[in-house]
């Protein structure tokens, strides 16, 4: 029951993150009708700010005192209502002509800050569930399964509600047979059905309200069903060390840096591909009536959900490092299909399923390997305590940094290629750019990430040695504490 409640806490970040990741770019371009340049600025700056807030929140968490409900749980509880409010306002179109860019940038940054106050302590909570590696791995598998299901909910809710309303397109003035293209565009806009656009805006607001309600519900289940166990990580008498001293030690830990570097490039590969796969399907009209962003993402996420138990068994049987090579590289042949074959419904579905299987490995493995890195750090620095939040906050930092870079690259590339906002048709350069970003670029990033994983030092043999050494260290510590208590008792009886 505790593992399930803990796993449910991972859903809000994925529900909101997937809704923003799959739909915010389209929303800014086609519904809010912002210029692609300004949309790219909002997406990149928002994600970059989101990444910066992770170490900031990690710093404040490390300075937080323990309370009756723990040191991490108060952050989760108090950030939730404000995060939900900011999320809903992201999907609102203000009736202002010049301040729309600042509106979306402000509330996007505010939401990213507040969701960081939820997600960083939630991620670090893994180390406070149990001291056993097998139990932490099991809890992580529960969490990843629910997070992938959260991705399904995010894309399904947003897609089903918004998908019922068609956002009207605007013909490219270059193809309008009138001598004055600007006049033609003005006439087209004046005769355009604006009611459909209003319905689309209302649909986005309804979807935001539903997702906000799920965010609150999951936070309640997490706070009620999980108890933060201080003794799982440190003794009652131990106080956390200095943040900056701990930061220096963490950033000098080789295993941590190599793990971050490997997953930085592989995460960037999948994010770039997924950000634009649905856009490419729509622009090339692979299946305009049967395939959409929502259906495509649902197919991939369902494949990821079904294969997470398989990857959990695989990493237990063959080791986590082997699972990284097999799981992430399995997407390469299918990504190459996107560039080699002409787009059609079958190829699109195959790529979506294959990417979902690899994403399942990319979801599960980093969060399963990170506690092993923390254990390795504890063995090398047995006198340094309370730095778990630093490990998890900077890990989230680099993941979000990759997401921001992918959004910025994809949106700016479309702008340079001549993408037309709400256009019924796009220049040929847009299709070529989409093909490169969905196929060639992710393959190159995956290969680079796999090369970096060769340097990661914690294999299965090393992990078992660390587990045995930590157990001996705890037994020695417990023995010392028992001896000290016995001496105190004897002294008290003498007095």
């Amino acid at each position: 029951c505790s593992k399930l409640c803990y796993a449910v806490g991972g859903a809000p970040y994925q529900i909101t993150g997937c809704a923003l990741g799959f739909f915010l770019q389209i929303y800014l371009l086609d519904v809010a009708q912002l210029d692609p340049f300004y949309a790219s600025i909002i997406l990149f700056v928002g994600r970059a700010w989101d990444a910066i807030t992770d170490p900031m929140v990690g710093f404040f968490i490390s300075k937080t005192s323990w309370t009756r409900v723990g040191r991490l749980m108060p952050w989760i509880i108090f950030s939730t209502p404000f995060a939900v409010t900011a999320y809903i306002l992201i999907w609102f179109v203000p009736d202002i002509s010049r301040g729309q860019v600042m509106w979306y940038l402000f509330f996007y940054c505010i939401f990213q800050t507040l969701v960081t106050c939820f997600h960083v302590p939630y991620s670090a909570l893994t180390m406070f569930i149990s001291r056993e590696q097998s139990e932490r791995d099991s809890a992580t598998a529960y969490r990843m399964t629910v997070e992938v299901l959260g991705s399904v909910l995010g894309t399904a809710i947003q897609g089903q509600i918004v998908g019922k309303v068609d956002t009207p397109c605007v013909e490219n003035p270059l193809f309008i047979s009138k001598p004055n293209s600007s006049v033609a565009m003005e006439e087209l806009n004046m005769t355009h059905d604006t009611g459909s656009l209003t319905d689309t805006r209302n649909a986005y607001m309804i979807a935001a309200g539903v997702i906000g309600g799920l965010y609150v519900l999951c936070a309640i289940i997490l706070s009620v069903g999980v108890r933060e166990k201080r003794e799982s990580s440190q003794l009652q008498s131990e106080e956390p060390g200095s943040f900056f001293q701990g930061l220096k030690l963490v950033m000098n830990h080789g295993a941590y840096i190599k793990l971050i570097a490997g997953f930085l490039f592989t995460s960037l590969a999948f994010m770039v591909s997924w950000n634009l796969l649905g856009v490419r399907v729509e622009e090339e009209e692979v299946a305009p009536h049967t395939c959409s962003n929502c259906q495509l993402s649902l197919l991939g996420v369902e494949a990821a959900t079904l294969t997470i138990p398989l990857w959990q068994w695989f990493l237990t049987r063959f080791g986590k490092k082997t699972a990284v090579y097999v799981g992430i590289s399995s997407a390469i042949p299918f990504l190459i299909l996107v560039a080699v074959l002409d787009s059609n419904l079958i190829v699109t579905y195959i790529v979506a399923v294959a990417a979902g299987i690899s994403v399942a490995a990319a979801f599960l493995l980093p969060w399963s390997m990170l506690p092993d890195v923390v254990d390795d750090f504890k063995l090398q620095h047995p006198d340094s305590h309370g730095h778990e939040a630093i490990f998890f906050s900077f890990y989230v930092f680099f993941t979000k940094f990759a997401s921001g870079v992918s959004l910025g690259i994809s949106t700016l590339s479309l702008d340079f290629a001549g993408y037309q906002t709400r256009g019924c048709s796009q220049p040929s350069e847009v299709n070529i750019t989409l093909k490169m970003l969905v196929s060639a670029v992710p393959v190159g990033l995956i290969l680079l990430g796999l090369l970096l994983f060769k340097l990661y030092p914690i294999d299965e043999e090393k992990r078992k040695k660390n587990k045995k050494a930590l157990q001996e260290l705890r037994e020695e510590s417990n023995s010392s504490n028992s001896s000290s208590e016995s001496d105190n008792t004897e002294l008290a009886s003498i007095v």
Side-chain angles (χ1 to χ4, degrees), residues 338-410:
V338 177
V340 175
L341 300 180
D342 294 332
S343 294
N344 59 73
L345 185 60
I346 296 177
V347 171
T348 303
Y349 281 166
I350 291 175
V351 171
V353 171
I357 294 173
S358 295
V359 166
F363 258 78
L364 177 64
L365 289 166
W367 295 109
S368 180
M369 297 166 75
L370 189 54
D372 298 338
V373 173
V374 178
D375 287 343
D376 187 68
F377 176 85
K378 288 180 179 180
L379 285 175
Q380 296 187 24
H381 306 279
D383 297 327
S384 185
H385 307 283
H387 301 314
E388 292 84 3
I390 300 177
F391 277 97
F392 285 87
S393 64
F394 273 89
Y395 193 84
V396 176
F397 166 84
F398 286 106
T399 302
K400 291 179 178 178
F401 178 78
S403 177
V405 170
S406 68
L407 285 172
I409 290 174
S410 60

Side-chain angles (χ1 to χ4, degrees), residues 8-56:
V8 167
Y13 180 75
Q14 292 301 326
I15 292 175
T16 56
C18 285
L20 289 169
F22 280 102
F23 293 96
L24 184 59
Q25 184 176 11
I26 298 173
Y27 172 82
L28 294 176
L29 293 173
D30 295 345
V31 181
Q33 301 180 29
L34 297 182
D35 184 88
F37 175 77
Y38 291 116
S40 66
I41 293 297
I42 292 171
L43 294 171
F44 179 75
V45 173
R47 296 300 288 178
W49 171 252
D50 182 26
I52 293 172
T53 58
D54 290 299
M56 292 171 56

Side-chain angles (χ1 to χ4, degrees), residues 266 269-270 273 324-340 350-351 353-359 438-451:
T266 54
F270 286 111
S273 179
V324 167
Y325 296 139
V326 175
I328 295 178
S329 63
S330 62
I332 293 178
F334 301 97
L335 291 174
I336 294 175
L337 280 178
V338 177
V340 175
I350 291 175
V351 171
V353 171
I357 294 173
S358 295
V359 166
V438 170
S439 178
V441 173
V443 169
L445 291 171
I446 288 175
L447 293 175
L448 182 57
L450 293 177
L451 287 176

